[in-house]
Amino acid sequence: MPGEILAQNSSDAPLCQRCGTEAATHNVRSEDVCSNCFSQYVQTKTIKRMETYRIRGSSAKTPRKLLFPLSFGPSSASLLHILDQHLRGQYDRMKRTSYELYVVHINVYVDPVDRKDADEMLEKYKTRYPRHNYAIFNLEEALGLDGIDWKALGLENSDSMAPSAERLQKLLGSMSSATSRSDIVSTLLARLLVDVAKRNSCEGTLFGDSTTRLAEKTLTETAKGRGFSLPWQISDGTSPHGITFYYPLRDILKKEIMSFSTLTSPPLTDLIVQPHPTSQISASSKLTTIDDLMAQYFESVEENFPSIVANVVRTTSKLQSLPNETTEACGLCGLPVAVGTDGIHGWGGDQNSESRPGKDDTYHGILCYGCSRSMNS
Amino acid sequence: MAPALCANCKTSRALIIRPKNHQKLCKECFIAVFEAEIHHTIITTSLFSPGDKIAIGASGGKDSTVLASVLKTLNERHNYGLELVLLSIDEGIKGYRDDSLETVKRNAVQYDMPLKIVGYDELYGWTMDQVVEVIGKKGNCTYCGVFRRQALDRGAKMLGIKHVVTGHNADDVAETILMNLLRGDLPRLARSTSIVTGDATSDVRRSKPLKYAYEKEIVLYAHHKKLDYFTTECLYSPEAFRGSARSLIKNLERVRPSAILDVVRSGEDMAKLVPEEVTGISQCKSQKVSLSSADGEDEGAGGCGSANGRSSGGEMAAMEKKLQQDETASSREIDMSNPIASGQNHDRLIKKTGPIKPVRIESSKKLVGQTLGTCKTCGYMSSQEICKACTLLEGLNKNRPKMEIEIDVEEEESSTLRRRMEGVALAAG
Ligand SMILES: [Zn+2]
Ligand SMILES: [Zn+2]
Ligand SMILES: [Zn+2]
Ligand SMILES: [Zn+2]
């Protein structure tokens, strides 16, 4: 009866603007949608990205091998879940897949307790997503990489006999600020990932960075003097290391990922190590990093101005690396540095030699501005 | 505990912790280091040539007072051979500039420099008080801001001076860089980082010798040199993007003192990475939004002092709305033509979709002008054919006769006619 329908419509919560049948519980940009349509939206956006990565016309029977760095955060957990379903779908339809994942977790903590936790966590992933290959590496393995100029870092291999975990701790312990420490950790992490990818013949790396995270990264890198490196850090494409970087979640906001991770069945909750709430971040704390500040900042911008967040990323993606420049590789991050622009000295904003704190005068070799800053402050 | 010795001379007692790198210095060494760094900036960027006549944009505030003092010192110490002139602008707001202009007059005596005060009435034919009479209190901020941006250049031109230096410091530059990133404005990002704007061909070049000097160090320098400057609580609330960038910069500085300098460095490096098609004419819609909404605010905001009717957050909300409309529009187009909705394929998609909606034609007009040229009316650097000041003046000048000749019968007819025409235009739009 028409009357009945009318009564139902007026008394219930608003309906999903997409399917028109379920109650709207979520919001996609300006649309109210049900949880089903919401999850659908997140998955579709991500998979569309994966389609753009496929080499068209390639009828190769062997799937492409892609490195998948897994941090146990909500983004990489969600991305793995989505791709796992994608691959399962491909296999069910065609009995083959277009790519395969090599899932890698890097231990950034040296503490054995933390490392045991990581092992246990990875076991959970193997159980839930058994289709993929998994491995764990330790950050100190980066200390053995070729191309890192330890002399330029002022860390001669005099104690190279010491266990590498100890050396890593010593290196990080010598940094004077929390920002420099986290900067060096993420730099070593990136280099180790590239190395793992190369050694395992992966042709690309899939990063779980959301729109919001990429916007954070844009401003974080800018604030750390690494503006020159943005074309390689924000855009999809070939990195100077010869490995292609992909960001399939680049069109999804962080808050959307957080919601998504609770909507899968079962939810991803026990696969995720939740990040610390940004509300606890204070600029007056010695432990606060530039990364923390930007995470806090963009969490608030994302709340009311999600399109501005997306626009930051879209705009930054337009920056182009300089192709004609003569460059040298930075002894730490490995990125190309235009000749004559290395180090924190010798530019207009340089402090003259009398006003420099003494520490850096022994330095020889090439470090980019950002790495040089972290090694010297 | 023995008092700490100065890290530089190692003889005097350290009294100052340098904000830039937390080095402990004595007063004399701090002053010497501060001046030496500005000298370094001037030398490495070949900012001046002997014989140059330089106008120092002087507001009586700390930045421009320190700039005048340091330039005088360095000019004498290193024989730059510069002729330095103080140039102040009087907006013509009764009572507003009195104190700061008095400060500048004292500075002229203290530094033994000629001073020229030019009024908005001389430059534009209108004082701000007169503008307020016509426009009302609301919205006159736009006029003041646009006029102020050109005032120094126009004033310098009147004096036959080709180079104006302003007191913009590292904090201002860093703030502008972050702001332009937040607004997604690459053309402005590319322009805002260089120490000099304008080149040999432009009538007036502008530069910021304090580009790498921290605001906190400028305050310390003014304090220890006992400079005479005018402290005013700025009544002007910065627009949302700038305000947001400003508080970020303050927090960054607390977390890592070098961050301000590092942002400036990043900005300089990124300016080189902005592709030409972006600094020139862009195909991308999102770019258009940011360009038109950001029109005009390159530099750190000066205190306007009169009205400050801007609600904070308004600009961000407005841009968010525009971007969202854009997204909705483009997702509709894309749904029909191509399954990929991505930033990088954006340009191609828009071209592919063919017929352009009226809205876009309108905004693309604005875009064409983004290559920097000069205003056809006044010759001032402008991204539009007619610069903003001239556009505003045209409007003002149209209003004045209309107001003054209300009694004239014939004129009234034509103005009635014009009003009718406006009505038509309104209905049509
Ligand atoms: Zn639905
Ligand atoms: Zn580096
Ligand atoms: Zn000293
Ligand atoms: Zn003009």
Side-chain angles (χ1 to χ4, degrees), chain A residues 11 19 29 49 130 134 143 167 184 193 198 228 240 256 303 323 333 353:
Chain A
S11 66
C19 63
R29 312 297 152 112
R49 271 279 157 197
Y134 291 84
L143 298 186
R167 282 162 60 211
I184 296 302
L193 283 174
K198 281 184 173 167
F228 80 98
E256 291 169 341
E303 193 53 40
C333 68
S353 46

Side-chain angles (χ1 to χ4, degrees), chain B residues 53-66:
Chain B
K53 202 173 174 187
I54 308 290
I56 302 170
S59 66
K62 60 174 174 22
D63 297 309
S64 62
T65 304
V66 165

Side-chain angles (χ1 to χ4, degrees), chain B residues 47-342:
Chain B
L47 210 52
F48 307 124
S49 317
D52 279 357
K53 202 173 174 187
I54 308 290
I56 302 170
S59 66
K62 60 174 174 22
D63 297 309
S64 62
T65 304
V66 165
L67 178 61
S69 166
V70 170
L71 281 186
K72 180 186 167 62
T73 305
L74 294 178
N75 192 30
E76 287 164 7
R77 184 180 298 157
H78 299 286
N79 299 311
Y80 289 166
L82 303 178
E83 192 184 325
L84 299 169
V85 177
L86 293 171
L87 173 60
S88 291
I89 304 299
D90 186 354
E91 293 90 346
I93 303 169
K94 234 183 198 71
Y96 170 60
R97 276 288 176 210
D98 295 358
D99 292 336
S100 58
L101 288 178
E102 282 313 311
T103 311
V104 179
K105 283 176 194 161
R106 287 196 305 275
N107 289 158
V109 177
Q110 288 152 1
Y111 304 146
D112 188 25
M113 280 181 204
L115 164 67
K116 172 72 184 169
I117 300 174
V118 277
Y120 272 17
D121 49 348
E122 275 175 89
L123 295 172
Y124 303 109
W126 291 78
T127 68
M128 268 317 287
D129 282 341
Q130 289 169 330
V131 172
V132 172
E133 265 174 50
V134 175
I135 301 299
K137 286 252 175 208
K138 229 177 150 191
N140 72 74
C141 251
T142 318
Y143 287 80
C144 194
V146 169
F147 287 170
R148 183 202 312 278
R149 229 161 283 133
Q150 281 190 16
L152 284 174
D153 302 53
R154 290 189 179 211
K157 219 172 155 183
M158 275 174 51
L159 299 178
I161 296 179
K162 292 196 157 120
H163 192 156
V164 178
V165 291
T166 58
H168 290 98
N169 57 41
D171 299 53
D172 297 329
V173 176
E175 187 181 297
T176 304
I177 291 166
L178 291 194
M179 179 182 73
N180 284 324
L181 277 174
L182 291 173
R183 293 203 290 213
D185 194 336
L186 289 186
R188 233 169 263 281
L189 176 76
R191 266 183 272 139
S192 64
T193 55
S194 60
I195 189 159
V196 185
T197 43
D199 54 30
T201 61
S202 43
D203 289 338
V204 179
R205 300 202 307 156
R206 263 218 210 194
S207 66
K208 354 181 212 274
L210 301 184
K211 180 186 173 189
Y212 301 110
Y214 278 32
E215 187 172 87
K216 282 182 179 168
E217 300 202 354
I218 288 171
V219 173
L220 278 174
Y221 184 85
H223 173 76
H224 288 290
K225 288 274 282 186
K226 300 197 170 54
L227 299 185
D228 180 9
Y229 68 94
F230 177 65
T231 331
T232 166
E233 197 154 308
C234 192
L235 298 168
Y236 177 91
S237 64
E239 62 95 18
F241 282 105
R242 186 172 286 283
S244 195
R246 184 169 298 173
S247 50
L248 260 181
I249 290 288
K250 296 278 173 254
N251 282 337
L252 287 173
E253 187 186 13
R254 287 165 81 180
V255 167
R256 201 195 213 188
S258 68
I260 293 177
L261 201 56
D262 298 341
V263 169
V264 175
R265 169 60 183 251
S266 283
E268 290 177 10
D269 288 342
M270 284 153 76
K272 296 180 211 147
L273 309 178
V274 176
E276 242 170 81
E277 62 265 30
V278 174
T279 44
I281 298 160
S282 166
Q283 296 288 337
C284 183
K285 274 197 298 185
S286 59
Q287 201 56 39
K288 284 171 195 169
V289 171
S290 54
L291 283 180
S292 49
S293 67
D295 211 26
E297 272 192 52
D298 265 348
E299 315 265 73
C304 173
S306 48
N308 101 67
R310 305 208 212 189
S311 57
S312 76
E315 290 79 5
M316 281 180 121
M319 180 165 171
E320 175 68 21
K321 206 174 148 199
K322 265 184 179 167
L323 287 169
Q324 266 182 18
Q325 285 166 352
D326 235 42
E327 265 167 47
T328 321
S330 74
S331 72
R332 257 184 236 125
E333 288 162 22
I334 287 157
D335 282 346
M336 291 186 298
S337 60
N338 192 315
I340 308 146
S342 75

Side-chain angles (χ1 to χ4, degrees), chain B residues 368-380:
Chain B
V368 176
Q370 257 307 313
T371 22
L372 265 191
T374 48
C375 167
K376 278 194 171 167
T377 311
C378 70
Y380 175 80

Side-chain angles (χ1 to χ4, degrees), chain A residues 40 51 123 145 183 189 199 221 273 301 329:
Chain A
Q40 198 67 45
E51 277 163 8
E123 283 308 314
L145 295 180
D183 182 57
L189 185 95
R199 272 190 283 134
E221 298 303 290
V273 178
V301 179

Side-chain angles (χ1 to χ4, degrees), chain A residues 94-138:
Chain A
M94 306 177 290
K95 291 285 167 284
R96 68 180 188 96
T97 60
S98 57
Y99 60 95
E100 63 177 48
L101 301 179
Y102 181 45
V103 184
V104 163
H105 176 77
I106 310 276
N107 275 323
V108 290
Y109 300 106
V110 190
D111 193 325
V113 178
D114 292 321
R115 297 203 158 173
K116 194 167 154 272
D117 288 348
D119 288 338
E120 284 166 10
M121 201 63 164
L122 202 70
E123 283 308 314
K124 290 189 207 166
Y125 275 90
K126 284 181 190 167
T127 314
R128 182 145 174 196
Y129 308 110
R131 159 185 313 277
H132 320 287
N133 291 314
Y134 291 84
I136 282 195
F137 295 87
N138 296 325

Side-chain angles (χ1 to χ4, degrees), chain A residues 23-60:
Chain A
T25 49
H26 287 76
N27 192 279
V28 167
R29 312 297 152 112
S30 49
E31 262 181 297
D32 293 322
V33 295
C34 69
S35 55
N36 232 337
C37 290
F38 176 81
S39 295
Q40 198 67 45
Y41 166 85
V42 172
Q43 279 166 300
T44 313
K45 276 255 173 186
T46 310
I47 298 306
K48 264 181 189 165
R49 271 279 157 197
M50 290 307 293
E51 277 163 8
T52 65
Y53 305 147
R54 190 166 54 201
I55 302 166
R56 269 165 240 276
S58 145
S59 54

